[in-house]
Amino acid sequence: MVDVLVVGAGPAGLAAAAVLAALGAGEVEVLDREPRAGGTPRHCHHGGFGPLGLEGPGFAERWVRTAERSGAALRTGVTVTDWAGPLTLDTTSPHGLERITARAVVLATGARERPRAARLVPGTRPAGVLTTGELLRAVHVHRQHVGTRAVVVGAESVGFAALDALRLAGVDVAALVTEHPRHQTSPARALDARLRRGVPLLTGATVADILGRGRVSGVRLTHRDGRTAHVPCDTVVFTGDFVPEHELARRGGLLLDPGTKGPATDGAFRTDRRGVFAVGNLLHAVEPARAVAREGAAAGAAVRRYLAEGDWPSASASVPLRVAAPLAWIAPNLVTPDEPLPYGGRFALRTAEFVGRAPLVITQDGRTLHHARLPRPPVPNRPFHIGGDWAARVRADGGPVRIAFG
Amino acid sequence: MTPVGSVDDGTSVTRDGALPDVTYDVTVVGAGVVGCAVARELAARPGLRVALVDASNDVGDGTSKANTAILHTGFDAVPGSLEARLVREGSRLLAAYAADSGIPVEPVGALLVAWDEEQLDALPTLLAKAERNGYDAARIIGPEEVRSREPHLGPGALGALDVPGESVICPWMTVLAYATQAVRAGVDLHLNCRVNTVDAFDGDVRVLGTGRGALRTRWLVNAAGLHADAVDRLLGHDDFTVTPRRGQLIVFDKLARDLVRHILLPVPTALGKGVLVAPTVYGNVLLGPTAEDLDDKSATGSTAEGIATLREKGRAILPELLDEEVTAVYAGLRAATEHDDYRISADPGRRCVTVGGIRSTGLTASLAIAAYVTALLDDAGAGLPEAGDLPPVRMPNLGEAFPRPYQRADLIAADPAYGTVVCHCERVTRGEIRDALAATVPPGSLEGLRRRTRARGGRCQGFHCGAVVRELFERGAELGDR
């Protein structure tokens, strides 16, 4: 029996554990199935993780140290395999099988990219098709030979991170391909890839066919206007298209949000199961690591409050938030009226397509709660944020809250 | 009762270099499920020198790796056909063999669900056919029972034929068990060894020209599957033509497994066969196959049209399935011929047996086919020694219905490598990967390692573990390159 069991030692889990241990929440244990703690940033050898160009591995190491110094127990190489009770988990590790019960469980299992199969890309099944996640580990951790000429699918920021890793591994990049009309990263980064590195960005294009046997020999691209092109390559990297790593949440029968596909949570990171919290990119695949760590800290405070006060909203007390296309999701996606929104009352949203300057309209049972233009037009594959003042006007006895572009 | 042959580490599985300078008594061409089963059967004959050769770098790398993974009862075969007989016999043999050797089998049963009046009307005929095939456990059930037994089924099911004897099996482990047992009993397995030419006899020996040089043999078994017609022509026959029939399949993630309890088979009608939805022993759900007659024996790619068709049909059968993540889309080529039945025949003059036209039932029938082929060789004058016993094999368990190594405290206590999970989605441990790399028939590629362990076969397709698994594979290959 521990006080808090955190599943996943990425930025969210570590930050939550650090705060909980520092606040004196008792025995706080963090489990991670990987051999080392730190989560996805461990493999992100690029800046953007803090001041002075802090890179992912340093960021991960910093949070590992913070959690350990605050008194949380970190155990790696431990896989949580299933639930054995509402707050009891079964694990496997080289030390054997173990069953752990906690007063509160925090799921921080993160997110992953969707691979080629999940994207239903037709063709043969040769070697040389991978995700950025695999690429980064192959290049930075194992120094493996990746290939000689690659096509990168996806033009959000992680696609450009894939370009950097490929360059380090000595792989030429034939093209960056996106189904969208524009890239979805910073203009400077896109310009650098195009001008300095000479990587063409093919917009409005999808991979229609993967070719080759044994090893990839090329891809056939289809443009929105019907044109097709054959691009020879021996490597295809599918980037972005992140989804929550929600297996444990689903095995536990937690209510999932239809948009995020992560557990449905309110502003206090509470799922529909008493004592079970969820935090980080399991809730919104994906937000940057720094934002996730901040969120983990807020979740730690929320868990601490629960341990002290024992409050948990009944299922009927929370109102679901439902987005309309082209919005893809909102997180948190439950509003518990009369409860504070600990995470600064901020909601993260995502659009599936480029949209213009249409206002965002939030209604409940036809009643307008919020109607405002966004400061900048939202970009697909990137989160945008809105404040949470409107949430105070949600009625507990009302229907679902609808969020749409007006 | 002494085991036949001996474990011949290091030399009995080859992937490159010249072939050994020996004359084989029998050479089996094609290391798919049929060829491996035949080689295993021959391995039980003491003193017989047997080679098993394949063009690919692994066993079971052609048609055998891309089927629907069902252990059939043979209820719907053509009564009186050779196929019906061998499927019926093979089904019993394989069920017993699987239990002995640890090949996962789940007896989930099948429902042939009727979605329209024509299909409903076809059920009594199918029931009668099952009975003529000696299968009398089938019965017709009404829509309420269908609904209660498959609560996630789409609307509109009018009834079903319940065939409780149908099972799902691990097709891959079946091939590997046969090959392992054969090799341990002294069969030489030569991979990357395509047969290009067949010379005339010199005495009672003839030379096969392979991609790895000359191979001398007295007898030949043609189990070349898709290429059985080509090999047959090298032997001077022209009995049949293999028309590859492509079947595309979609594999859904393990989290979909609870949506389906039985193999949901289509009811064949004049309008053709539909697609099936079936659980797999690995805990996935399979949707497919398409049926496309092609000319190209290498067209194992999936297509946008094929995927779209399957998704449309799957949505009608099991709507919630389509919301689940897909872990693989693959296409297999069935070795269809212009004939209705298996084409298995001996030619004593040319000292060969051809095993052609083995369709999707080949997995189920494999052990019976092997016994049949061996009897044909005997009758044709091959002079096979009396059969002895084969040393038993025990294959690693890939089935979710049985304890996997990561769930076994006893295994982990004995060897912590079974508690080190490397592939998280499929819960594959370092111990299992190590064992596969050191096995009698080790993998020749990462794909081969995936089939042996499931590593990299889950929903993330290597996002988490791809680089580590590759590292282990490359190191394993360095350590024990066999």
Side-chain angles (χ1 to χ4, degrees):
Chain A
M1 178 88 179
V2 296
D3 291 287
V4 184
L5 188 65
V6 180
V7 185
L14 290 171
V19 165
L20 280 160
L23 292 175
E27 201 176 333
V28 179
E29 193 163 278
V30 190
L31 305 181
D32 200 286
R33 60 192 192 179
E34 291 281 317
R36 292 187 58 196
T40 301
R42 282 176 306 150
H43 311 116
C44 300
H45 290 249
H46 54 78
F49 288 85
L52 306 173
L54 182 65
E55 296 195 341
F59 178 85
E61 193 47 44
R62 183 180 288 185
W63 275 107
V64 170
R65 281 203 310 272
T66 303
E68 282 176 337
R69 271 206 305 266
S70 64
L74 265 56
R75 291 170 59 200
T76 56
V78 183
T79 302
V80 175
T81 54
D82 212 345
W83 299 78
L87 293 170
T88 304
L89 291 161
D90 278 337
T91 69
T92 288
S93 80
H95 302 292
L97 310 183
E98 196 183 351
R99 183 162 285 184
I100 305 171
T101 300
R103 291 171 62 209
V105 171
V106 180
L107 300 181
T109 49
R112 62 174 172 81
E113 290 165 300
R114 294 177 74 229
R116 174 254 175 116
R119 303 182 194 209
L120 302 176
V121 178
T124 54
R125 299 174 72 198
V129 179
L130 63 171
T131 50
T132 319
E134 180 172 353
L135 172 72
L136 295 183
R137 283 177 226 225
V139 172
H140 294 298
V141 182
H142 299 281
R143 316 265 171 210
Q144 287 166 352
H145 172 74
V146 174
T148 59
R149 184 176 153 91
V151 166
V152 175
V153 184
E156 58 184 281
S157 290
V158 65
F160 292 84
L163 289 188
D164 295 339
L166 288 166
R167 178 176 53 178
L168 188 68
V171 184
D172 289 334
V173 178
L176 200 66
V177 180
T178 175
E179 61 184 319
H180 292 291
R182 296 190 287 285
H183 67 79
Q184 307 107 53
T185 189
S186 68
R189 203 168 189 187
L191 203 65
D192 178 70
R194 189 162 59 85
L195 294 184
R196 201 163 61 81
R197 312 249 326 261
V199 176
L201 173 66
L202 307 181
T203 59
T206 51
V207 178
D209 210 355
I210 289 184
L211 312 167
R213 37 198 75 254
R215 180 80 195 189
V216 174
S217 65
V219 294
R220 195 166 55 80
L221 303 177
T222 310
H223 195 267
R224 200 168 274 178
D225 64 12
R227 282 177 299 155
T228 64
H230 172 252
V231 182
C233 61
D234 62 6
T235 304
V236 186
V237 186
F238 284 92
T239 73
D241 197 359
F242 285 91
V243 285
E245 199 66 279
H246 66 191
E247 180 182 11
L248 197 58
R250 281 191 70 179
R251 280 177 172 269
L254 299 184
L255 179 71
L256 298 193
D257 178 73
T260 62
K261 296 189 165 61
T265 49
D266 67 6
F269 306 95
R270 293 176 293 201
T271 68
D272 70 329
R273 162 105 40 92
R274 185 182 185 83
V276 179
F277 295 79
V279 65
N281 281 332
L282 169 63
L283 301 181
H284 39 60
V286 292
E287 291 240 44
R290 278 198 286 173
V292 165
R294 280 197 299 275
E295 190 184 291
V303 176
R304 180 74 187 97
R305 190 160 61 99
Y306 163 72
L307 290 175
E309 298 167 14
D311 287 346
W312 203 269
S314 68
S316 58
S318 295
V319 179
L321 310 183
R322 293 280 177 261
V323 296
L327 283 169
W329 50 255
I330 183 168
N333 28 53
L334 293 173
V335 165
T336 310
D338 307 324
E339 289 268 346
L341 294 166
Y343 185 35
R346 194 172 88 138
F347 288 83
L349 295 95
R350 178 149 313 183
T351 174
E353 294 165 23
F354 281 99
V355 285
R357 300 277 300 165
L360 194 71
V361 181
I362 304 179
T363 56
Q364 184 183 30
D365 303 326
R367 191 166 53 91
T368 300
L369 306 177
H370 174 88
H371 186 292
R373 243 172 246 290
L374 297 165
R376 279 183 301 280
V379 172
N381 296 323
R382 278 169 73 174
F384 65 96
H385 302 91
I386 59 170
D389 294 347
W390 54 272
R393 295 189 283 280
V394 173
R395 286 195 188 134
D397 56 357
V401 171
R402 185 173 182 277
I403 298 143
F405 289 115
Chain B
M1 296 293 281
T2 47
V4 178
S6 62
V7 177
D8 193 5
D9 276 331
T11 58
S12 44
V13 180
T14 68
R15 284 197 163 90
D16 49 33
L19 297 169
D21 184 22
V22 295
T23 299
Y24 291 103
D25 296 312
V26 186
T27 295
V28 181
V29 179
V33 71
V34 170
C36 288
V38 171
R40 174 189 166 276
E41 187 79 27
L42 293 172
R45 307 298 177 114
L48 199 67
R49 205 79 230 225
V50 180
L52 173 62
V53 301
D54 199 282
S56 169
N57 75 356
D58 208 344
V59 296
D61 198 38
T63 295
S64 301
K65 77 176 178 193
N67 55 42
T68 49
I70 295 170
L71 178 54
H72 295 286
T73 56
F75 77 94
D76 62 346
V78 177
S81 65
L82 178 62
E83 182 180 17
R85 184 187 126 196
L86 295 181
V87 169
R88 195 162 59 239
E89 291 173 12
S91 182
R92 278 193 293 272
L93 290 171
L94 182 50
Y97 180 76
D100 287 344
S101 54
I103 298 166
V105 172
E106 280 186 63
V108 290
L111 297 178
L112 279 82
V113 181
W115 297 94
D116 59 34
E117 291 297 334
E118 191 197 356
Q119 292 177 5
L120 193 63
D121 292 346
L123 296 185
T125 313
L126 281 166
L127 180 63
K129 194 179 188 183
E131 283 161 359
R132 275 194 290 153
N133 278 318
Y135 185 77
D136 49 18
R139 63 192 183 96
I140 293 170
I141 61 173
E144 298 78 23
E145 186 175 344
V146 174
R147 172 73 40 204
S148 73
R149 287 174 61 180
E150 284 293 357
H152 297 279
L153 213 59
L158 303 177
L161 183 69
D162 176 19
V163 190
E166 299 272 299
S167 304
V168 291
I169 186 170
C170 177
W172 164 251
M173 221 22 108
T174 306
V175 180
L176 191 62
Y178 295 164
T180 299
Q181 219 174 3
V183 169
R184 285 188 189 164
V187 170
D188 285 357
L189 171 61
H190 300 303
L191 298 164
N192 295 319
C193 189
R194 182 186 298 278
V195 174
N196 299 317
T197 57
V198 176
D199 290 356
F201 279 105
D202 178 6
D204 67 347
V205 175
R206 63 160 106 208
V207 172
L208 310 182
T210 81
R212 292 174 50 195
L215 188 151
R216 289 196 307 278
T217 190
R218 294 190 172 85
W219 288 80
L220 186 146
V221 176
N222 171 9
L226 278 175
H227 304 283
D229 55 347
V231 172
D232 230 27
R233 288 194 187 104
L234 294 178
L235 292 163
H237 296 140
D238 192 3
D239 286 348
F240 62 91
T241 301
V242 176
T243 308
R245 183 170 298 156
R246 179 165 64 192
Q248 303 185 42
L249 293 121
I250 299 178
V251 184
F252 290 87
D253 182 49
K254 289 174 136 80
L255 291 166
R257 176 63 182 85
D258 289 343
L259 292 175
V260 60
R261 297 174 184 174
H262 308 80
I263 302 163
L264 302 177
L265 293 171
V267 178
T269 64
L271 292 172
K273 282 180 80 170
V275 304
L276 64 83
V277 172
T280 73
V281 291
Y282 324 113
N284 302 91
V285 178
L286 205 62
L287 167 64
T290 58
E292 309 152 59
D293 287 329
L294 307 172
D295 312 321
D296 183 357
K297 288 178 180 176
S298 64
T300 54
S302 58
T303 63
E305 301 72 37
I307 294 169
T309 304
L310 290 180
R311 285 176 61 82
E312 184 195 330
K313 291 186 173 175
R315 195 181 299 280
I317 299 167
L318 208 63
E320 291 161 73
L321 183 62
L322 278 295
D323 296 333
E324 299 292 341
E325 286 285 272
V326 168
T327 56
V329 178
Y330 64 90
L333 298 175
R334 285 159 279 175
T337 69
E338 64 273 39
H339 304 284
D340 276 344
D341 205 352
Y342 289 173
R343 303 294 287 177
I344 307 179
S345 57
D347 182 341
R350 292 189 170 99
R351 293 172 174 261
C352 66
V353 174
T354 291
V355 193
I358 310 298
R359 299 171 291 194
S360 53
T361 51
L363 169 63
T364 302
S366 52
L367 286 174
I369 294 173
Y372 186 77
V373 166
T374 311
L376 286 180
L377 278 172
D378 249 336
D379 292 348
L384 304 181
E386 280 297 305
D389 280 350
L390 284 167
V393 285
R394 192 75 199 167
M395 304 308 288
N397 171 40
L398 297 184
E400 291 294 336
F402 312 93
R404 298 267 312 278
Y406 80 89
Q407 295 167 311
R408 289 183 54 186
D410 58 330
L411 271 188
I412 300 170
D415 183 350
Y418 295 113
T420 303
V421 178
V422 173
C423 164
H424 300 297
C425 302
E426 295 294 323
R427 310 261 169 88
V428 184
T429 64
R430 183 179 284 262
E432 291 165 275
I433 292 173
R434 177 202 60 203
D435 293 350
L437 294 171
T440 303
V441 183
S445 66
L446 278 170
E447 279 304 285
L449 181 62
R450 177 180 61 76
R451 291 199 289 270
R452 283 163 176 81
T453 63
R454 312 267 317 133
R456 292 170 75 251
R459 65 183 72 90
C460 91
Q461 294 280 301
F463 175 91
H464 295 296
C465 72
V468 181
V469 172
R470 192 158 142 213
E471 176 94 4
L472 291 172
F473 175 75
E474 282 167 5
R475 261 188 7 218
E478 269 168 36
L479 294 175
D481 191 9
R482 313 201 302 172

